[in-house]
Amino acid sequence: MRPALITLLLLLVATLVADSGRPEQDDGQWTMPGKDFAATRYSGLTQITPANAARLRPQWSFSTGVLGGHEGQPLVVNNTMYVVTPFPNVLYAFDLTREGYPLKWKYRPDVNPTSVGIACCDAINRGAFYADGRIVYNLLDGHTVAVDAATGRELWKTQIADLGQGETTPMAPFVVKGKVIVGPSGGEFGIHGWVKALELATGRLAWTAYSEGPDADVLAHPATFRPFYDRGTDLALTSWPADAWQRAGVPVWGWLSYDPDLDLLYYGTGNAAPYNPEQRPGDNKWASSVLARRPEDGSLVWAYQFTPHENWDFDANAEMILADVTVKGRRRRVLVHFDKNGFAYTIDRATGEVLVAAPFTAVTWAKRIDLTTGRPVVDTAKLTGASRGNIKDICPSLEGGKSPVSAASYSPRTGLFYVSTNNLCMDYQATQVTRIAGTPYIGASTPYHAGPGGHMGAFIAWDASVGRRVWEIREPYPVWSGSVVTAGDVVFYGTLDGWFKAADARSGRVLWKFKVGSGVVGCPITYTGPDGRQYVAVYAGIGGDWFLLSGDVRSDDPADVRPRADFAPDLARHTSQGGIVWVFGLP
């Protein structure tokens, strides 16, 4: 009986682990965008240290053959590197066991080219997710695909979005408990924002939850929805005028995370549409918010709005990093979020209570966050609207105190968060607009200028327990790359003018840098190669928000004669478009 009992117990343990939703942890691989369910972008690899990082050298590079912004990150699974390009969203698989990393296979999807003209902020892609032998990712034209990781064979393809409404799908999907979680871009087109779950095995739709509208559409059930600060029913309906919620934007295009112990999926929502806030009086829930849902059925458990009735395009799509942090002497399970509005939030991830909120960059639109109510104390002189004219010197700009695409990282060794930031302010003049399906629904002019100090960006280390910057590396341009931090106490990030850098995670001292040929807007990763050595990989390829792209960065386009951005007139002296995958290692 004993062998049978042992076998039964082992099967029970395996079942519990599988049901918990925890992926297998392997610091030698990189299987999902944020490295782990907590979105820490932390690796336990230790070979690269502050003592030897200066010896890093390029080991391999590959040109993707695609212009445009190379956001997201490669994956490394079972000695194979997977790379997804911007439109036309080609998926490459490289064999890391052979010299030169030769191509194993290439998947060329059929993507509707119309999507390029509809995509808000460049025809980018934020990456793929590996699960159960599949590479799952989104195509720009509103489809999600699953590809066999070994052969490159398409397993299923599901349409999730409607190009005719202005919906595109550049986000990286998130897989948990057999569900593929996906969402759209299109806040600038006045879509009706949503998040959907597909069955990983088949691609069939499991559930849809809208960002705004009646509780039945938002999946805010009375028995399970318990926000910390808000009370009542139909909050995402009554906080909008008339039927404005049906064309209100509030897309879901950023990063996701998951707590298996609480069984909660976390993600942020985008801006309310249009940019003229006078056309949508009210708090406009759940725009610019964090939502916590059950992944199996989409039920909303709690929500918190960072910027009620946001006036400034302050999306909240940036990552929600899960960590255990001591706040006022008490160990708390928290969610840490660096918002476009310039405040860093430390939030109890079980309840949605804001524990710490402090500015991490220049902020003029609000004086502080009231922890009792959770609401910002707004400077009314910075409120915008068509009737208010041109409002000057709003900080941060609508690029955000941090770009939501530049995912931060967290080291449990140092207890610090590592964040790419912008130091940009703006003037804001709103105008009245009318929505036409599939066309921009914006209504604002928002020129930028450098913030205090004249530098336009910085890479910082942040203590989320008290809301304090520990160190910073100032950069001449906004910093739009993500970061990765390691147990070797080295953190990596890139710059818009084309440098890839390593810094001491404790002191902020720059240890090494390498010119990668194009501005970095992607997120670095680190992995163990078949030879047992630690490597670091990153995309180079400037792009993203069209407002930031100076003219003369694309040499093959004679029509690229746009005036240079007035806040960064010399950026094209340092970089041009072009996608490259770089791999670095120690000699």
Side-chain angles (χ1 to χ4, degrees):
M1 293 294 293
R2 288 185 64 192
L5 180 60
I6 291 171
T7 300
L8 181 61
L9 289 172
L10 289 174
L11 286 173
L12 179 60
V13 170
T15 301
L16 290 172
V17 170
D19 287 345
S20 73
R22 290 182 174 86
E24 181 181 352
Q25 294 300 310
D26 180 357
D27 275 320
Q29 303 197 98
W30 199 284
T31 63
M32 64 182 74
K35 181 61 171 72
D36 48 38
F37 274 165
T40 63
R41 297 185 184 262
Y42 168 80
S43 170
L45 300 182
T46 59
Q47 290 183 14
I48 300 172
T49 69
N52 62 25
R55 297 167 51 207
L56 285 166
R57 297 292 183 271
Q59 306 292 316
W60 179 80
S61 63
F62 172 78
S63 174
T64 66
V66 180
L67 299 177
H70 281 60
E71 296 181 0
Q73 57 287 303
L75 301 180
V76 174
V77 187
N78 299 328
N79 293 323
T80 302
M81 177 179 287
Y82 299 94
V83 169
V84 179
T85 75
F87 178 88
N89 303 143
V90 177
L91 172 62
Y92 292 96
F94 298 101
D95 187 348
L96 302 185
T97 66
R98 297 171 59 192
E99 183 180 11
Y101 294 2
L103 186 67
K104 296 175 68 172
W105 51 258
K106 180 193 298 185
Y107 168 67
R108 301 176 187 264
D110 179 16
V111 189
N112 187 339
T114 303
S115 59
V116 176
I118 295 173
C120 154
C121 309
D122 201 0
I124 58 87
N125 185 281
R126 297 193 178 100
F129 197 112
Y130 171 83
D132 292 349
R134 295 165 166 82
I135 302 294
V136 186
Y137 72 107
N138 288 324
L139 309 180
L140 186 65
D141 67 356
H143 290 84
T144 304
V145 295
V147 178
D148 186 288
T151 67
R153 179 173 62 93
E154 182 181 294
L155 300 175
W156 52 258
K157 181 179 181 180
T158 301
Q159 181 175 348
I160 57 171
D162 184 353
L163 284 179
Q165 292 297 320
E167 296 177 348
T168 53
T169 44
M171 75 166 288
F174 190 85
V175 181
V176 58
K177 303 184 81 168
K179 300 290 191 297
V180 180
I181 313 299
V182 291
S185 292
E188 283 67 35
F189 290 80
I191 68 167
H192 184 192
W194 48 262
V195 65
K196 296 180 180 180
L198 310 178
E199 298 291 349
L200 175 62
T202 64
R204 287 196 295 265
L205 179 67
W207 53 259
T208 300
Y210 287 94
S211 303
E212 67 275 66
D215 282 351
D217 292 353
V218 178
L219 304 187
H221 309 304
T224 55
F225 183 44
R226 296 287 188 272
F228 188 85
Y229 295 102
D230 296 283
R231 299 290 182 270
T233 59
D234 287 328
L235 296 173
L237 177 68
T238 58
S239 58
W240 297 86
D243 62 349
W245 55 273
Q246 297 179 12
R247 54 183 180 275
V250 198
V252 180
W253 50 258
W255 312 103
L256 293 85
S257 51
Y258 173 68
D259 184 329
D261 295 321
L262 296 172
D263 190 29
L264 288 178
L265 173 77
Y266 306 93
Y267 64 90
T269 60
N271 61 286
Y275 284 16
N276 174 21
E278 292 176 347
Q279 292 183 237
R280 45 175 176 82
D283 274 359
N284 305 149
K285 300 183 184 304
W286 293 104
S288 303
S289 302
V290 53
L291 279 67
R293 295 188 183 273
R294 302 285 183 214
E296 288 182 293
D297 64 5
S299 296
L300 187 61
V301 174
W302 62 260
Y304 168 72
Q305 190 170 43
F306 297 103
T307 315
H309 187 54
E310 64 91 5
N311 278 229
W312 310 275
D313 186 35
F314 287 157
D315 309 72
N317 300 88
E319 65 287 347
M320 311 288 166
I321 302 176
L322 312 185
D324 294 343
V325 171
T326 300
V327 179
K328 296 181 179 178
R330 178 183 169 191
R331 198 69 172 168
R332 304 292 292 261
R333 294 180 298 182
V334 303
L335 172 158
V336 176
H337 171 77
F338 298 87
D339 199 73
K340 271 181 79 173
N341 71 17
F343 286 92
Y345 296 80
T346 304
I347 298 173
D348 186 303
R349 65 179 183 261
T351 66
E353 178 189 5
V354 179
L355 307 175
V356 181
F360 63 91
T361 189
V363 172
T364 62
W365 70 273
K367 300 172 184 178
R368 59 184 175 86
I369 306 298
D370 185 332
L371 299 186
T372 302
T373 64
R375 299 179 70 90
V377 179
V378 175
D379 182 345
T380 56
K382 301 301 182 183
L383 290 173
T384 67
S387 69
R388 297 178 62 86
N390 190 15
I391 307 301
K392 300 280 191 177
D393 296 321
I394 299 169
C395 307
S397 78
L398 59 75
E399 297 298 343
K402 169 190 175 300
S403 169
V405 305
S406 54
S409 57
Y410 166 70
S411 170
R413 284 175 50 85
T414 64
L416 299 178
F417 294 77
Y418 301 93
V419 192
S420 299
T421 70
N422 300 322
N423 182 35
L424 290 174
C425 303
M426 65 179 173
D427 301 336
Y428 196 112
Q429 185 159 10
T431 57
Q432 192 84 6
V433 289
T434 300
R435 183 178 188 259
I436 301 173
T439 63
Y441 186 52
I442 298 176
S445 174
T446 57
Y448 310 151
H449 58 272
H455 63 289
M456 288 184 279
F459 186 71
I460 70 171
W462 184 263
D463 182 347
S465 65
V466 294
R468 178 178 63 89
R469 182 188 301 122
V470 176
W471 54 254
E472 73 171 357
I473 303 167
R474 291 189 173 187
E475 296 288 352
Y477 300 105
V479 186
W480 266 20
S481 85
S483 63
V484 61
V485 64
T486 72
D489 288 344
V490 179
V491 60
F492 295 89
Y493 73 101
T495 68
L496 276 185
D497 52 346
W499 290 100
F500 186 50
K501 298 184 179 184
D504 187 310
R506 296 186 181 274
S507 70
R509 179 171 61 93
V510 175
L511 306 168
W512 166 88
K513 64 180 181 179
F514 184 86
K515 189 76 167 177
V516 290
S518 186
V520 181
V521 295
C523 301
I525 69 166
T526 187
Y527 65 94
T528 301
D531 56 4
R533 297 167 58 197
Q534 181 183 356
Y535 295 92
V536 181
V538 70
Y539 295 151
I542 193 171
D545 195 327
W546 68 62
F547 294 116
L548 190 62
L549 291 179
S550 300
D552 198 28
V553 295
R554 180 167 173 173
S555 61
D556 72 332
D557 184 0
D560 184 18
V561 292
R562 293 163 293 167
R564 295 172 295 177
D566 55 3
F567 66 93
D570 60 346
L571 182 58
R573 291 176 176 268
H574 303 280
T575 188
S576 293
Q577 286 190 298
I580 307 172
V581 187
W582 288 94
V583 174
F584 299 92
L586 297 171

